[in-house]
């Protein structure tokens, strides 16, 4: 479904994986060989009061599952070895 480039660090294959933090779910891309990954792109973060400890995401920055996966894939595929 998504085309992923090889890892820019070790050349290993990459995979799209579901990630969870608190009660939030999302997607990230991870190298199967060396385990380096993108940051998670979350579908739904629980709201907290501004200034409170914990995640906060307003309604304008929420993503569908497909959008979050595509953002993670695009982020991974932009990486290059320096």
């Amino acid at each position: 479904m998504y085309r992923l480039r090889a890892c820019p660090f070790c050349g290993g294959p990459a995979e799209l994986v579901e990630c969870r933090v608190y009660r939030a779910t999302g997607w990230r891309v991870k190298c199967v060989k060396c385990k380096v990954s993108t940051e998670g792109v979350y579908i739904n973060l629980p709201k907290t009061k501004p200034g409170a400890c914990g995640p906060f995401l307003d309604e304008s920055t929420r993503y569908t599952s497909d959008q979050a996966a595509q953002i993670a894939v695009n982020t991974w595929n932009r990486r290059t070895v320096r």
Side-chain angles (χ1 to χ4, degrees), residues 42-43 56-63:
Y42 295 98
I43 300 163
F56 181 78
L57 190 67
D58 67 35
E59 292 294 330
S60 66
T61 55
R62 291 181 185 257
Y63 301 110

Side-chain angles (χ1 to χ4, degrees), residues 8-23:
F9 301 104
C10 73
E15 64 182 349
L16 184 65
V17 295
E18 186 178 29
C19 54
R20 295 177 184 269
V21 173
Y22 303 102
R23 292 183 306 254

Side-chain angles (χ1 to χ4, degrees), residues 1-2 5 7 9 15-18 24 26-28 30 36 44-47 49 55 58-59 65 74-75 79:
M1 181 173 202
Y2 297 103
R5 289 184 175 178
C7 177
F9 301 104
E15 64 182 349
L16 184 65
V17 295
E18 186 178 29
W27 296 98
R28 65 187 172 104
K30 180 176 88 170
V36 70
N44 56 342
L45 284 176
K47 283 193 159 193
K49 295 178 185 176
D58 67 35
E59 292 294 330
S65 183
N74 291 346
T75 301
R79 291 182 167 188

